[in-house]
Amino acid sequence: MADRITAPRRRGYREGIGGEMLAEFLGTFVLILLGVGSVAVAVVGLPGSGRQFVDFGPANWLIIAWGWGLAVVFGVYVAGGISGAHLNPAVTLAFTVRRDFPLKKVPAYWLAQLCGAFVAAALVYACYRWAIDAADAKAGLARDESLATYSIFATFPAEYFGDSWWGPLLDQIVGTGILLLLICALIDLKNVAPLSNLHPFLIGLVVVAIGLTFGTNAGYAINPARDFGPRLFTYFEGWGDIALPGTFGWFSGYWWIPIVGPLIGGVVGVLVYDALIKPSITARTRAMEAQEEGPATEEA
């Protein structure tokens, strides 16, 4: 997510698209490992370990919101100097539309992001399998009936939406639009962008803010790889229709919304920034440069 121009290339990664794919894979892996891990703690870890004796509530949501925010911070630090740390197909597409990223690299980045998310979900499951099984057994539910344990890995819409697809889709467009709008602001060195390599921390805080303001509508996926990679894993691991096609109780065929919504929202976010903020910054920069140069004078 951070601007690759702001960080030097690190040693230890191969040059070219192969190294960038490895960085995107590992950065996304760290993002999903810590993010999904924080949900596992809140949903099954604390209750199942005897460390929590009340129902899931605001404190658990704070664990999730801050867990995802910190996951973004460290994922960006892992990959930022190599690939720009997109870690999100919506970021990759938005930067491509903005002409900051070559179209030919998009499939490679998307593949690396999806694979990193899938592998991270598998590792979280390996660590929390006992807690997941205990939670399902306590609830008296088969795995393919357990929305609670499925929610550790991927998202679903709030019950008040019913079977409407428009509300969750709008939520994903807005959430991802905010994300990309603020990323553009944070990496724009001609604006008031942070210095001293603080971009990852502030982008992580953006994700925390989105989780605290829009998170309960649809789980704030705001990242197609973040949702579809773990969703694909849960399908293979036995959650069945809840994962794919994304059907349970009040929602059906939900799987495409956390993919399409963020892709649309990311493009909207960069277009809004470039239409409303960038022209003013460009004009002011030119005015300042002209003022510094001053009028031409002849030498005596």
Side-chain angles (χ1 to χ4, degrees), residues 4-266:
R4 64 177 304 167
I5 297 175
T6 63
R9 179 177 291 275
R10 299 174 189 166
R11 294 183 177 180
Y13 286 85
R14 66 185 66 166
E15 295 287 339
I17 190 63
E20 293 172 28
M21 289 181 69
L22 285 173
E24 283 296 301
F25 172 87
L26 188 58
T28 308
F29 173 85
V30 169
L31 165 65
I32 303 304
L33 184 73
L34 299 181
V36 170
S38 72
V39 185
V41 166
V43 173
V44 296
L46 285 171
S49 66
R51 293 178 173 88
Q52 177 176 314
F53 303 99
V54 296
D55 292 336
F56 185 99
N60 301 77
W61 191 257
L62 286 173
I63 291 171
I64 293 170
W66 281 101
W68 277 109
L70 292 171
V72 169
V73 171
F74 296 115
V76 172
Y77 271 127
V78 165
I82 312 302
S83 66
H86 294 186
L87 316 184
N88 182 341
V91 173
T92 302
L93 178 63
F95 285 176
T96 301
V97 170
R98 205 184 191 205
R99 298 183 180 180
D100 285 344
F101 188 75
L103 179 62
K104 65 181 181 180
K105 289 186 178 182
V106 170
Y109 269 53
W110 282 7
L111 177 62
Q113 293 155 2
L114 180 62
C115 290
F118 183 94
V119 174
L123 184 55
V124 172
Y125 175 78
C127 294
Y128 278 97
R129 177 171 58 86
W130 295 269
I132 290 169
D133 290 344
D136 286 343
K138 184 177 180 180
L141 295 172
R143 179 163 292 180
D144 60 1
E145 300 172 332
S146 179
L147 183 63
T149 54
Y150 162 79
S151 72
I152 293 170
F153 299 95
T155 64
F156 64 92
E159 191 168 0
Y160 45 72
F161 286 121
D163 197 26
S164 168
W165 58 265
W166 170 239
L169 181 65
L170 177 62
D171 171 80
Q172 289 300 291
I173 292 172
V174 171
T176 316
I178 293 169
L179 175 66
L180 265 296
L181 172 68
L182 296 180
I183 287 175
C184 288
L186 289 170
I187 66 174
D188 190 345
L189 297 179
K190 294 180 181 179
N191 202 332
V192 287
L195 302 178
S196 302
N197 203 20
L198 288 175
H199 298 85
F201 279 102
L202 294 179
I203 293 171
L205 286 178
V206 170
V207 174
V208 173
I210 294 170
L212 294 178
T213 53
F214 289 91
T216 56
N217 273 338
Y220 72 113
I222 60 175
N223 181 337
R226 171 266 175 275
D227 188 84
F228 190 69
R231 182 181 295 271
L232 195 60
F233 172 78
T234 56
Y235 175 77
F236 290 129
E237 200 54 46
W239 274 272
D241 287 350
I242 302 177
L244 289 170
T247 298
F248 178 89
W250 61 90
F251 60 90
S252 61
Y254 182 76
W255 69 274
W256 62 274
I257 291 177
I259 297 175
V260 174
L263 292 176
I264 296 172

